[in-house]
Amino acid sequence: MAKPRTREIVRGSQRRVAAASKRGQDWAERQTPETAPGVAIQAWRRYTAVDGPLQSALLTLYVFVAIIPSLIVMEEWVERKPGAFATHIVRHYHFSADTATLIRGVLVHGRAHEIQTAVVAIVGALAFGVGFGRVLQVIHVRAWGLTLPPARLKVIRHTVVLVAVCGLLLVLVLQLAELRGAGAPGWVGFALAPVWVAVLTAFFTWAPRYLTYGLLDRADVLPCAALKALGLVVLMLASRYLMEWWINWYALDYGGFGVVMAIFFWLALSSTLIVWAASLAPVLGERRALRALL
């Protein structure tokens, strides 16, 4: 007697879930592109169409295995001090002694083979880091439904974008070092935030257009470029207060490897923001075109 009743309860639950799902789908289909819910739904569909989680993971991986090692080497060659990059990170985030030890254990390398280390970093960046530009290209091509003109040596454009990304990151690290060395108060870093928003907006406006051979207008990418820039700067500012807790939380279970995981997943947040905003751009473009017709 109990089994038929249980089966009936299960079937009833399944029917209610199916009905709720159908109502949700019907509601989503009724949303038009000029409404805020319609924009959100279309952006999510574009995000899934470009394989958003996969592209975010790829961006994170390329930054982690190619760009960060190159950045460490460049920073230490500029300052001629081993551990310069780790020192700037520790000082900027005001890490405790225990957290600083973890960071230095992961990011500091010796100088026994500095030439070989530099060569490996450069080769790694060229071999893997160019994938960062390729992923950016793929995201925008798929999101906008573009067909790129036949062109040779696309890798050159990917390399140019890679160099630009490395340059931006190096400038950021050097800025942290200079502010610290000059004894600048903490508010100076916050005062420079609008400058970084402007710089990153310019980069994310230029890069998609450069990678798509000018098929995208500036007006198509500027709004979401500003959104990416603002989101990344907010993450940068938030990291000053959250990064130590974030690293220690991972290190509780994984030790030194937890530092690697913490850095990787923090980068993944930034990558997800970049991919999501790129998926939103064509939806906003369609919304703008519809409003222009009214």
Side-chain angles (χ1 to χ4, degrees), residues 62-247:
Y62 289 135
V63 171
F64 192 78
V65 303
I67 296 177
I68 295 298
S70 302
L71 184 64
I72 293 173
V73 171
M74 287 190 295
E75 169 67 3
E76 296 182 1
W77 269 74
V78 168
E79 300 210 14
R80 305 304 300 170
K81 292 188 297 184
F85 182 78
T87 298
H88 297 330
I89 296 296
V90 168
R91 289 176 176 174
H92 175 68
Y93 292 115
H94 305 289
F95 287 154
S96 64
D98 291 340
T99 306
T101 300
L102 287 171
I103 290 290
R104 289 193 172 98
V106 173
L107 297 181
V108 176
H109 64 81
R111 287 199 172 274
H113 307 93
E114 61 177 339
I115 300 297
Q116 294 93 320
T117 302
V119 171
V120 169
I122 293 171
V123 171
L126 293 176
F128 301 104
V130 292
F132 184 92
R134 183 178 183 278
V135 172
L136 278 184
Q137 185 182 61
V138 168
I139 291 167
H140 288 88
V141 166
R142 291 184 181 177
W144 287 90
L146 303 176
T147 300
L148 295 182
R152 297 179 180 178
L153 299 177
K154 292 182 180 180
V155 69
I156 292 178
R157 293 184 179 246
H158 302 160
T159 304
V160 170
V161 171
L162 170 65
V163 171
V165 171
C166 289
L168 288 173
L169 289 174
L170 183 60
V171 169
L172 175 61
V173 173
L174 292 177
Q175 173 194 301
L176 299 179
E178 291 299 322
L179 291 179
R180 182 73 182 183
W187 61 264
V188 176
F190 288 96
L192 290 173
V195 176
W196 276 104
V197 170
V199 170
L200 291 174
T201 299
F203 171 78
F204 284 113
T205 301
W206 162 78
R209 300 184 70 244
Y210 177 69
L211 291 170
T212 57
Y213 299 85
L215 294 178
L216 296 175
D217 292 332
R218 188 173 287 104
D220 291 332
V221 295
L222 181 57
C224 286
L227 181 61
K228 293 176 196 175
L230 182 61
L232 291 176
V233 170
V234 168
L235 284 175
M236 287 165 52
L237 297 177
S239 67
R240 296 194 63 174
Y241 304 98
L242 299 177
M243 187 60 74
E244 182 171 14
W245 167 83
W246 183 260
I247 288 176

